[in-house]
Amino acid sequence: MTRVGFHASHEQISPRRLLADVQQAERAGFEMAMCSDHFAPWSKRHGHAGYAWAWLGAALATTDLAIGCVSAPGQRYHPAVHAQRIATLGQMFPGRFWAALGSGEASNEHITGERWPDKEQRTGRLEECVDVIGRLLAGEEVTHRGLVTVDRARLWDIPDPRPLLVGPAVSVESAARVAGWADGLVTLNQPVEVLRDLLAAYRDAGGRGRAALQVHLSWAATEDEAEAIAHDQWRTNVFPEPVSWDTELPEAFDLMAQHVTPATVREHVRVSADLGQHRAWLAEYAALGFDDLYLHFVGQDQGPFIDAFATEVLPALRD
């Protein structure tokens, strides 16, 4: 049966508010949660970028939810330090924390002042980091010299069970590639035919574990309001790669988004005032074979969305 979780968007909501939101989501019946890990928001209108790893400790301690985080080791985060973070949460909250390891975006990673590598080098760096992190979580002492350097690192608190290391992918090619190391897959809502091919590529390449889909959506009492929320908050998030990978500042995303129309946003966000329509969309994703759906309401006031979906959407999906 498909599980339904809550997505906590750190770039849109303050960590204090977001902690209350995830607690409300649990009370309302959401079964798990995931969060983003940003140093900067996509837009000045978002206005937030709390430190996800401090928030994760508080969220795990004050709920019973399993919670995951999408993050990028290799530039902003040294893989040994990242492994220590993952291990500590895994040891404190056994079986309840997972980490999705991606190659990153310049908007978060440029802060180190290091050169932003091309995509193939970023992917190679990620795969080295995945190997280092996995070996450290297994209790090994690790020395590594390549695109990242590690000198005689060892973790002294080994989590049992080991937290899942999940592969994030937005293309068929990347889904097949992460299948070689990932304990599961997480992706974003796209056209159904793309998602079908992406999921098949992951499974055909030997990909194991649960497949998760993060669904961007906008709901409100009226269609106009739902569209206005989506356009205000998510018009900076419609640009394809490599633009989304390589743009560094929120101001640049805002400038590029000046001429993005509500119709274009609707290609990336499921927008409707009709909760039945949202149920149908989510049921279609579940029918594709996704085990977990994480709902990301792209507005900043999460309370009405949580309550409405808990009453009108989640029970129908379970049935």
Side-chain angles (χ1 to χ4, degrees):
M1 184 170 61
T2 301
R3 303 184 304 182
V4 182
F6 172 77
H7 176 72
S9 182
H10 281 285
E11 63 270 37
Q12 292 181 278
I13 303 167
S14 76
R16 179 169 59 187
R17 178 66 254 172
L18 204 54
L19 183 61
D21 288 339
V22 77
Q23 293 164 351
Q24 180 183 350
E26 181 184 38
R27 292 193 299 270
F30 285 81
E31 298 168 85
M32 66 250 176
M34 65 175 287
C35 75
S36 54
D37 176 12
H38 278 244
F39 194 85
W42 297 102
S43 167
K44 292 178 73 174
R45 294 184 312 281
H46 292 167
H48 299 281
Y51 184 54
W53 296 86
W55 180 90
L56 280 161
L60 286 160
T62 58
T63 72
D64 291 321
L65 299 174
I67 306 179
C69 181
V70 182
S71 61
Q75 186 158 326
R76 185 169 39 128
Y77 295 144
H78 188 278
V81 176
H82 211 45
Q84 186 185 36
R85 257 191 296 263
I86 293 167
T88 299
L89 289 175
Q91 200 265 352
M92 292 172 68
F93 308 102
R96 291 178 51 209
F97 176 69
W98 55 266
L101 304 179
S103 59
E105 294 142 345
S107 59
N108 300 308
E109 310 304 322
H110 77 90
I111 61 168
T112 66
E114 298 176 50
R115 184 184 69 84
W116 180 237
D118 61 38
K119 176 58 177 174
E120 189 58 33
Q121 188 174 5
R122 296 199 306 272
T123 301
R125 181 174 68 181
L126 168 64
E127 290 171 348
E128 290 186 18
C129 289
V130 168
D131 178 67
V132 167
I133 291 168
R135 291 168 61 195
L136 288 168
L137 291 174
E140 295 182 33
E141 181 181 287
V142 177
T143 294
H144 176 88
R145 291 179 178 84
L147 295 172
V148 293
T149 300
V150 182
D151 178 39
R152 293 168 293 175
R154 175 186 168 189
L155 296 178
W156 292 86
D157 289 286
I158 304 301
D160 184 18
R162 192 198 79 165
L164 299 178
L165 301 180
V166 174
V170 295
S171 70
V172 170
E173 294 76 17
S174 58
R177 187 158 180 169
V178 302
W181 59 262
D183 297 318
L185 173 74
V186 62
T187 189
L188 305 173
N189 61 290
Q190 302 180 69
V192 167
E193 58 274 13
V194 175
L195 291 174
R196 183 181 292 111
D197 291 346
L198 188 152
L199 189 54
Y202 180 73
R203 296 300 188 197
D204 290 347
R208 61 188 182 274
R210 300 182 72 86
L213 178 67
Q214 180 188 340
V215 183
H216 303 307
L217 64 92
S218 186
W219 167 85
T222 69
E223 193 74 14
D224 287 346
E225 186 182 359
E227 183 176 90
I229 290 169
H231 187 247
D232 176 70
Q233 284 292 294
W234 218 245
R235 66 179 182 266
T236 46
N237 295 67
V238 302
F239 303 110
E241 301 83 8
V243 174
S244 57
W245 294 334
D246 295 342
T247 302
E248 294 183 348
L249 298 176
E251 294 86 348
F253 280 103
D254 281 330
L255 184 63
M256 292 188 297
Q258 284 181 348
H259 303 293
V260 172
T261 66
T264 299
V265 175
R266 281 178 175 268
E267 296 173 8
H268 301 266
V269 180
R270 291 300 204 179
V271 179
S272 181
D274 180 0
L275 290 169
Q277 178 62 76
H278 284 288
R279 288 195 297 268
W281 282 327
L282 296 172
E284 185 176 28
Y285 293 140
L288 287 176
F290 284 99
D291 304 293
D292 299 326
L293 302 177
Y294 289 92
L295 308 190
H296 173 208
F297 170 61
V298 299
Q300 291 182 305
D301 183 4
Q302 298 288 305
F305 148 73
I306 291 171
D307 290 340
F309 274 63
T311 302
E312 301 293 337
V313 177
L314 270 60
L317 288 174
R318 295 190 182 105
D319 292 341

